[in-house]
């Protein structure tokens, strides 16, 4: 069974299409109209080893909020749909991601129980044209729709590009490992309840 999904979501504010292949090679084709956000989504594919195609046309003349949030929603929906009943997955993973002076740790439970803890602060409102407060908005939308318990904490860091990128790389690394198939329980759902 190929774990993949394709979702298109259209509102008055945005039009988003997402194609995801969970067992991929980290290949991506991303176009959101926001350069730095494209760079972050590239990292998400590259370090999770999922293949991602994401196209977003949003109301950027207002600001980036709707576009970033709606990509998070649509990507989360596609991720969840691709994984189905979560049979055989490792489920839990964590990572410590250094980027020069910055260190971020991420822990995930691919649980179907959405919860975000986000303890990362930025010292600038912008990275290039990108609004740093939208990093949290993206992960909130993604965790909610993907059904992830997701904890992100930047322990220290100075450069805002490094801080944001370490969060995306950490999430990529953890979700990539958490959705890998555990050969010792490949046919089972990894919960004593029998369902996730
Ligand atoms: Mn970078």
């Amino acid at each position: 069974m190929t774990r993949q999904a394709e979702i298109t979501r259209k509102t008055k504010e945005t039009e988003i299409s997402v194609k995801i292949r969970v067992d991929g090679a980290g290949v991506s084709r991303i176009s959101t109209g926001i350069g730095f956000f494209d760079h972050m989504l590239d990292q998400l594919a590259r370090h999770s080893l999922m293949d991602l195609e994401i196209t977003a046309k949003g109301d950027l003349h207002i600001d980036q909020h709707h576009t970033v949030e709606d990509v998070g929603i649509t990507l989360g929906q596609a991720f969840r749909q691709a994984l189905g009943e979560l049979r055989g997955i490792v489920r839990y993973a964590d990572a410590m991601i250094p980027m020069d002076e910055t260190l971020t740790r991420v822990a995930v439970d691919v649980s179907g129980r959405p919860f975000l803890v986000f303890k990362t602060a930025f010292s600038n409102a912008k990275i290039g044209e990108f609004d740093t407060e939208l990093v949290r908005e993206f992960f909130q939308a993604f965790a909610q729709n993907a059904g992830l318990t997701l904890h992100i904490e930047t322990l220290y860091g100075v450069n805002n590009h490094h801080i944001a990128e370490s969060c995306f790389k950490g999430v990529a690394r953890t979700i990539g490992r958490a959705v890998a198939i555990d050969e010792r329980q490949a046919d089972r759902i990894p919960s004593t309840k029998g369902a996730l």
Side-chain angles (χ1 to χ4, degrees):
M1 193 192 75
T2 312
R3 298 190 294 178
Q4 59 188 15
E6 189 171 356
I7 291 194
T8 301
R9 183 177 187 275
K10 189 177 191 310
T11 69
K12 285 180 183 164
E13 295 167 345
T14 65
E15 186 173 350
I16 317 277
S17 79
V18 171
K19 219 179 195 174
I20 185 170
R21 210 173 121 235
V22 172
D23 302 292
V27 177
S28 61
R29 206 160 62 207
I30 313 285
S31 173
T32 67
I34 307 165
F36 184 76
F37 188 41
D38 288 356
H39 177 42
M40 293 300 99
L41 294 170
D42 268 332
Q43 301 293 348
L44 200 59
R46 181 67 187 83
H47 294 282
S48 65
L49 300 178
M50 300 189 300
D51 294 339
L52 292 179
E53 279 180 40
I54 301 173
T55 309
K57 293 192 189 86
D59 52 2
L60 296 177
H61 61 286
I62 295 176
D63 69 5
Q64 302 169 348
H65 194 286
H66 301 143
T67 301
V68 172
E69 186 175 30
D70 290 359
V71 168
I73 290 170
T74 313
L75 181 61
Q77 290 173 343
F79 178 87
R80 188 160 191 166
Q81 185 178 313
L83 287 168
E85 59 179 358
L86 304 173
R87 190 172 292 275
I89 65 167
V90 168
R91 184 176 164 181
Y92 295 98
D94 58 79
M96 293 279 264
I97 305 292
M99 272 194 79
D100 296 354
E101 85 300 337
T102 295
L103 185 67
T104 293
R105 68 176 162 200
V106 177
V108 74
D109 177 9
V110 182
S111 59
R113 298 161 61 96
F115 202 101
L116 176 72
V117 174
F118 187 80
K119 298 174 78 173
T120 292
F122 295 97
S123 58
N124 287 335
K126 295 271 193 188
I127 303 168
E129 291 298 303
F130 179 75
D131 300 318
T132 49
E133 67 176 3
L134 298 180
V135 175
R136 184 195 193 105
E137 297 305 307
F138 172 79
F139 286 123
Q140 175 63 43
F142 179 62
Q144 188 69 35
N145 288 276
L148 303 176
T149 303
L150 181 62
H151 291 226
I152 301 168
E153 181 176 26
T154 299
L155 303 179
Y156 43 82
V158 176
N159 180 276
N160 285 271
H161 186 127
H162 293 159
I163 291 169
E165 188 163 340
S166 65
C167 294
F168 277 85
K169 284 176 165 169
V171 171
R173 184 89 175 136
T174 53
I175 61 176
R177 280 161 48 201
V179 302
I181 300 297
D182 183 343
E183 291 303 338
R184 289 189 302 167
Q185 57 168 1
D187 294 328
R188 289 190 302 178
I189 291 167
S191 166
T192 53
K193 287 183 292 197
L196 286 171

